[in-house]
C-alpha cells in the first residue's frame, strides 16, 4: 500500500495559477501510474490527469488539456499538477491517486487506487 499526501490547494482568482503536489511513501512506485481526480459539489468524481511513473507517459481530461500539466519527480517521489489559467469550473477538491497496475490510460478503473486526503481548490470570479 502506498500513502499519499496532497498539498498546495487554495483560493485564487480566475486566470491565475496554482500548483498541487502529492508526496508518496510506503512502496516503490516503479510499476505505478499516478494521477489526479477532482470532486465538485453536486458532481461525480472526474479524472483530471495521469502519468506513468516509469517512462512518464501522460493523459489529460479534455477540460484541462493545454492548461494543466502533470509531472513527477522520481527522486522525491512526488507528483505535481501545475494548473494555469484557472476557471471557476475548476473549483473542487483534488485527490491524488496511485494505481498499482500502471494503467495510466485507465487510471483506477482496472483496480482500486490508493487515495490521498484531498486538497481544496477554489477559483473565484
Amino acid at each position: 500500500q502506498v500513502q499519499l499526501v496532497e498539498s498546495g490547494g487554495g483560493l485564487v482568482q480566475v486566470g491565475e495559477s496554482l500548483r498541487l503536489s502529492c508526496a508518496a511513501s510506503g512502496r516503490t512506485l516503479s510499476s505505478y501510474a499516478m494521477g489526479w481526480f477532482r470532486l465538485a459539489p453536486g458532481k461525480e468524481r472526474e479524472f483530471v490527469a495521469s502519468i506513468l511513473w516509469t517512462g512518464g507517459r501522460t493523459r489529460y481530461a479534455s477540460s484541462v488539456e493545454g492548461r494543466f500539466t502533470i509531472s513527477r519527480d522520481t527522486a522525491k517521489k512526488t507528483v505535481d499538477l501545475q494548473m494555469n489559467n484557472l476557471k471557476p469550473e475548476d473549483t473542487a477538491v483534488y485527490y491524488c491517486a496511485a494505481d498499482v497496475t500502471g494503467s495510466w490510460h485507465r487510471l483506477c478503473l482496472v483496480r482500486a487506487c490508493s487515495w490521498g486526503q484531498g486538497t481544496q481548490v477554489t477559483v473565484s470570479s
Side-chain angles (χ1 to χ4, degrees):
Q1 190 80 356
V2 62
Q3 289 77 47
L4 305 172
V5 178
E6 302 102 331
S7 61
L11 172 64
V12 296
Q13 301 294 315
V14 169
E16 293 185 340
S17 298
L18 206 58
R19 189 176 185 91
L20 305 182
S21 187
C22 173
S25 63
R27 291 190 64 175
T28 180
L29 299 176
S30 57
S31 67
Y32 275 74
M34 306 286 290
W36 293 88
F37 287 78
R38 64 188 182 186
L39 183 61
K43 296 186 177 181
E44 294 186 354
R45 185 180 68 188
E46 177 188 18
F47 166 79
V48 176
S50 62
I51 186 166
L52 183 61
W53 192 259
T54 300
R57 297 186 72 176
T58 59
R59 179 173 177 257
Y60 295 92
S62 58
S63 58
V64 307
E65 191 149 23
R67 299 188 297 123
F68 290 13
T69 302
I70 190 170
S71 61
R72 88 270 192 245
D73 186 320
T74 56
K76 295 181 180 179
K77 295 179 70 175
T78 57
V79 177
D80 288 356
L81 186 68
Q82 176 66 42
M83 305 185 293
N84 297 329
N85 190 22
L86 283 161
K87 305 176 180 180
E89 51 265 40
D90 295 318
T91 295
V93 178
Y94 283 69
Y95 295 90
C96 180
D99 186 328
V100 69
T101 70
S103 300
W104 61 276
H105 55 303
R106 298 183 67 206
L107 197 72
C108 306
L109 295 180
V110 176
R111 183 172 169 179
C113 276
S114 299
W115 297 93
Q117 82 286 354
T119 185
Q120 176 71 47
V121 172
T122 303
V123 185
S124 173
S125 57

